[in-house]
Amino acid sequence: MLLEASAGLQQPSEGRILLGGKDISGWGYHRLQNAGVAYMAAGRLEEGLVAGLTLTEHMVLAQPEQTFFVNWEEMQLKTARRIDHYQVVGRPNSTADELSGGNQQRLLFALLNRQLRLLLLEHPTRGLDIRSANWIWEQLYERRKEGTAVVFISADLDEVVERSDRIAVFFGGRLLQIVSAEETTVEELGHLIGGEL
Protein backbone atom coordinates (compact mmCIF):
# COMPACT_ATOMS: atom_id res chain seq x y z
CA MET A 1 0.00 0.00 0.00
CA LEU A 2 2.83 2.44 0.84
CA LEU A 3 4.59 1.92 -2.49
CA GLU A 4 1.36 2.02 -4.48
CA ALA A 5 0.39 5.29 -2.79
CA SER A 6 3.86 6.69 -3.46
CA ALA A 7 3.52 5.68 -7.13
CA GLY A 8 0.09 7.31 -7.51
CA LEU A 9 -1.78 4.01 -7.87
CA GLN A 10 -3.63 4.42 -4.54
CA GLN A 11 -4.79 7.57 -2.80
CA PRO A 12 -3.51 7.84 0.81
CA SER A 13 -6.32 8.00 3.35
CA GLU A 14 -4.26 10.35 5.53
CA GLY A 15 -0.82 11.90 5.79
CA ARG A 16 1.31 13.41 3.03
CA ILE A 17 3.86 12.11 0.52
CA LEU A 18 6.77 14.44 -0.16
CA LEU A 19 9.25 14.22 -3.03
CA GLY A 20 12.15 16.66 -2.79
CA GLY A 21 10.13 18.66 -0.26
CA LYS A 22 7.13 18.94 -2.62
CA ASP A 23 3.76 17.50 -1.62
CA ILE A 24 2.82 14.90 -4.26
CA SER A 25 0.05 13.19 -2.27
CA GLY A 26 -2.72 13.68 -4.82
CA TRP A 27 -0.66 13.10 -7.95
CA GLY A 28 -1.61 10.30 -10.33
CA TYR A 29 0.62 7.58 -11.74
CA HIS A 30 1.43 9.27 -15.07
CA ARG A 31 2.17 12.63 -13.48
CA LEU A 32 4.57 10.95 -11.06
CA GLN A 33 6.21 9.06 -13.93
CA ASN A 34 6.88 12.38 -15.63
CA ALA A 35 8.36 13.66 -12.36
CA GLY A 36 10.88 10.79 -12.29
CA VAL A 37 9.09 8.20 -10.14
CA ALA A 38 9.07 4.54 -11.24
CA TYR A 39 7.30 1.56 -9.67
CA MET A 40 8.14 -2.12 -10.13
CA ALA A 41 5.43 -4.42 -8.80
CA ALA A 42 6.06 -7.85 -7.29
CA GLY A 43 4.02 -9.58 -9.99
CA ARG A 44 6.37 -9.27 -12.96
CA LEU A 45 4.03 -10.76 -15.55
CA GLU A 46 0.78 -10.00 -13.73
CA GLU A 47 1.41 -6.27 -13.12
CA GLY A 48 4.68 -5.17 -14.73
CA LEU A 49 4.62 -6.80 -18.17
CA VAL A 50 1.96 -7.84 -20.70
CA ALA A 51 1.83 -11.49 -21.76
CA GLY A 52 1.80 -11.85 -25.52
CA LEU A 53 3.50 -8.52 -26.24
CA THR A 54 7.02 -8.55 -27.63
CA LEU A 55 9.99 -6.90 -25.95
CA THR A 56 9.94 -4.24 -28.68
CA GLU A 57 6.24 -3.54 -28.04
CA HIS A 58 7.03 -3.17 -24.34
CA MET A 59 9.80 -0.71 -25.21
CA VAL A 60 7.37 1.34 -27.32
CA LEU A 61 4.87 1.49 -24.44
CA ALA A 62 7.62 2.50 -21.97
CA GLN A 63 8.70 5.57 -23.95
CA PRO A 64 8.11 8.81 -22.03
CA GLU A 65 7.12 10.58 -25.27
CA GLN A 66 4.19 8.84 -26.96
CA THR A 67 3.57 9.53 -30.66
CA PHE A 68 0.86 8.38 -33.05
CA PHE A 69 3.32 6.74 -35.45
CA VAL A 70 5.98 4.25 -34.32
CA ASN A 71 9.32 3.84 -36.09
CA TRP A 72 9.46 0.06 -35.60
CA GLU A 73 12.91 -0.35 -37.09
CA GLU A 74 14.36 2.23 -34.71
CA MET A 75 12.53 0.68 -31.74
CA GLN A 76 13.81 -2.81 -32.65
CA LEU A 77 17.38 -1.45 -32.63
CA LYS A 78 16.80 0.33 -29.32
CA THR A 79 15.33 -2.85 -27.83
CA ALA A 80 18.30 -4.89 -29.07
CA ARG A 81 20.70 -2.43 -27.40
CA ARG A 82 18.78 -2.62 -24.12
CA ILE A 83 18.66 -6.44 -24.32
CA ASP A 84 22.43 -6.47 -24.73
CA HIS A 85 23.09 -3.92 -21.97
CA TYR A 86 20.79 -5.59 -19.43
CA GLN A 87 21.81 -9.13 -20.48
CA VAL A 88 18.25 -10.24 -21.18
CA VAL A 89 18.15 -13.74 -22.67
CA GLY A 90 15.67 -13.01 -25.43
CA ARG A 91 15.22 -11.21 -28.76
CA PRO A 92 13.30 -8.05 -29.70
CA ASN A 93 10.52 -10.25 -31.10
CA SER A 94 10.37 -12.56 -28.04
CA THR A 95 7.23 -12.19 -25.94
CA ALA A 96 7.53 -11.29 -22.26
CA ASP A 97 5.91 -14.56 -21.15
CA GLU A 98 8.59 -16.57 -22.98
CA LEU A 99 11.25 -15.21 -20.61
CA SER A 100 12.33 -16.76 -17.30
CA GLY A 101 11.53 -14.89 -14.08
CA GLY A 102 15.07 -13.51 -13.89
CA ASN A 103 14.92 -12.30 -17.48
CA GLN A 104 11.50 -10.74 -16.92
CA GLN A 105 13.04 -8.78 -14.03
CA ARG A 106 15.95 -7.73 -16.28
CA LEU A 107 13.44 -6.60 -18.89
CA LEU A 108 11.64 -4.45 -16.32
CA PHE A 109 14.96 -2.73 -15.56
CA ALA A 110 15.59 -2.29 -19.30
CA LEU A 111 12.24 -0.49 -19.61
CA LEU A 112 13.03 2.09 -16.90
CA ASN A 113 13.81 5.66 -17.90
CA ARG A 114 17.47 6.50 -17.37
CA GLN A 115 17.02 9.50 -15.06
CA LEU A 116 14.88 8.71 -12.03
CA ARG A 117 14.37 10.54 -8.76
CA LEU A 118 12.61 7.69 -6.97
CA LEU A 119 12.48 3.94 -7.69
CA LEU A 120 9.90 1.88 -5.78
CA LEU A 121 10.21 -1.92 -5.78
CA GLU A 122 8.19 -4.77 -4.30
CA HIS A 123 10.25 -7.90 -3.57
CA PRO A 124 12.88 -7.12 -6.23
CA THR A 125 14.69 -10.47 -5.97
CA ARG A 126 11.90 -12.88 -4.99
CA GLY A 127 12.18 -16.20 -6.81
CA LEU A 128 15.53 -15.35 -8.41
CA ASP A 129 18.75 -17.34 -8.22
CA ILE A 130 21.79 -15.84 -6.46
CA ARG A 131 23.40 -14.64 -9.70
CA SER A 132 20.24 -12.85 -10.86
CA ALA A 133 19.61 -11.37 -7.41
CA ASN A 134 23.17 -10.00 -7.23
CA TRP A 135 22.75 -8.51 -10.71
CA ILE A 136 19.57 -6.75 -9.56
CA TRP A 137 21.42 -5.20 -6.62
CA GLU A 138 24.26 -4.07 -8.86
CA GLN A 139 21.67 -2.18 -10.94
CA LEU A 140 20.10 -0.65 -7.85
CA TYR A 141 23.46 0.45 -6.45
CA GLU A 142 24.26 2.04 -9.82
CA ARG A 143 20.96 3.91 -9.71
CA ARG A 144 21.74 5.08 -6.18
CA LYS A 145 25.10 6.47 -7.35
CA GLU A 146 23.23 8.43 -10.02
CA GLY A 147 21.09 10.07 -7.33
CA THR A 148 17.99 7.87 -7.45
CA ALA A 149 16.34 7.18 -4.09
CA VAL A 150 15.54 3.44 -3.91
CA VAL A 151 12.70 2.24 -1.68
CA PHE A 152 11.98 -1.49 -1.58
CA ILE A 153 9.86 -4.00 0.32
CA SER A 154 11.12 -7.54 0.93
CA ALA A 155 9.94 -10.48 3.01
CA ASP A 156 13.60 -11.54 3.32
CA LEU A 157 14.78 -9.79 6.49
CA ASP A 158 18.41 -10.71 5.80
CA GLU A 159 18.11 -8.87 2.48
CA VAL A 160 16.44 -5.89 4.17
CA VAL A 161 19.23 -5.53 6.76
CA GLU A 162 22.07 -6.25 4.31
CA ARG A 163 20.88 -4.01 1.47
CA SER A 164 19.30 -1.03 3.24
CA ASP A 165 20.60 2.22 4.65
CA ARG A 166 17.47 2.91 6.70
CA ILE A 167 14.53 0.64 7.46
CA ALA A 168 10.98 1.89 8.02
CA VAL A 169 9.03 -0.56 10.20
CA PHE A 170 5.24 -0.61 9.98
CA PHE A 171 2.87 -2.26 12.41
CA GLY A 172 -0.92 -2.26 12.20
CA GLY A 173 -0.80 -0.05 9.11
CA ARG A 174 1.19 2.71 10.81
CA LEU A 175 4.84 3.71 10.82
CA LEU A 176 6.30 2.35 14.04
CA GLN A 177 9.95 3.34 13.75
CA ILE A 178 12.79 4.13 11.34
CA VAL A 179 16.04 2.37 12.20
CA SER A 180 19.55 2.40 10.79
CA ALA A 181 20.36 -0.89 9.04
CA GLU A 182 23.90 -0.74 10.44
CA GLU A 183 22.57 -0.54 14.00
CA THR A 184 19.99 -3.32 13.91
CA THR A 185 19.90 -7.10 13.45
CA VAL A 186 17.46 -9.48 11.83
CA GLU A 187 16.32 -10.57 15.30
CA GLU A 188 15.66 -7.00 16.46
CA LEU A 189 13.86 -6.23 13.22
CA GLY A 190 11.65 -9.29 13.71
CA HIS A 191 10.64 -8.02 17.16
CA LEU A 192 9.85 -4.55 15.78
CA ILE A 193 7.72 -6.02 12.99
CA GLY A 194 5.82 -7.88 15.70
CA GLY A 195 5.05 -4.55 17.38
CA GLU A 196 7.63 -4.81 20.16
CA LEU A 197 9.51 -1.57 20.85
Side-chain angles (χ1 to χ4, degrees):
M1 185 67 145
L2 170 69
L3 297 192
E4 290 179 349
S6 300
L9 295 168
Q10 297 272 353
Q11 289 300 313
S13 55
E14 59 182 280
R16 294 185 305 150
I17 301 170
L18 303 177
L19 179 64
K22 187 170 188 173
D23 191 339
I24 59 167
S25 306
W27 290 22
Y29 179 74
H30 293 294
R31 187 176 178 190
L32 285 168
Q33 267 192 321
N34 291 333
V37 177
Y39 169 67
M40 290 176 64
R44 299 175 191 113
L45 203 53
E46 300 81 8
E47 299 172 84
L49 302 169
V50 182
L53 289 190
T54 67
L55 276 58
T56 301
E57 289 166 335
H58 278 88
M59 190 66 65
V60 169
L61 292 174
Q63 295 308 296
E65 301 289 329
Q66 295 294 322
T67 58
F68 188 74
F69 294 103
V70 176
N71 183 332
W72 288 103
E73 186 177 340
E74 180 184 313
M75 290 310 300
Q76 286 240 339
L77 290 172
K78 184 172 185 175
T79 304
R81 287 194 297 270
R82 292 278 183 100
I83 286 172
D84 183 56
H85 180 77
Y86 288 95
Q87 302 168 21
V88 179
V89 179
R91 300 175 314 282
N93 290 326
S94 301
T95 59
D97 46 303
E98 290 177 47
L99 305 180
S100 68
N103 282 294
Q104 288 174 359
Q105 191 75 322
R106 287 171 186 263
L107 174 59
L108 286 169
F109 272 91
L111 296 174
L112 291 174
N113 292 328
R114 196 58 245 164
Q115 297 299 320
L116 291 175
R117 296 175 69 190
L118 175 62
L119 178 55
L120 306 158
L121 306 106
E122 288 184 348
H123 311 287
T125 61
R126 183 169 66 188
L128 301 183
D129 58 43
I130 298 286
R131 182 174 172 272
S132 295
N134 286 336
W135 183 89
I136 294 297
W137 283 109
E138 286 171 16
Q139 302 306 305
L140 293 174
Y141 290 147
E142 191 62 35
R143 290 276 181 175
R144 184 177 68 177
K145 282 183 196 170
E146 294 170 359
T148 302
V150 177
V151 178
F152 75 97
I153 291 174
S154 175
D156 183 343
L157 295 187
D158 288 308
E159 180 175 56
V160 170
V161 172
E162 181 185 344
R163 303 293 188 174
S164 302
D165 296 316
R166 289 174 293 170
I167 303 167
V169 181
F170 287 80
F171 179 75
R174 296 193 173 274
L175 179 64
L176 184 67
Q177 192 172 348
I178 296 178
V179 298
S180 166
E182 288 184 347
E183 297 172 4
T184 192
T185 64
V186 170
E187 290 74 25
E188 289 172 353
L189 198 55
H191 289 303
L192 286 173
I193 291 170
E196 299 175 28
L197 288 171

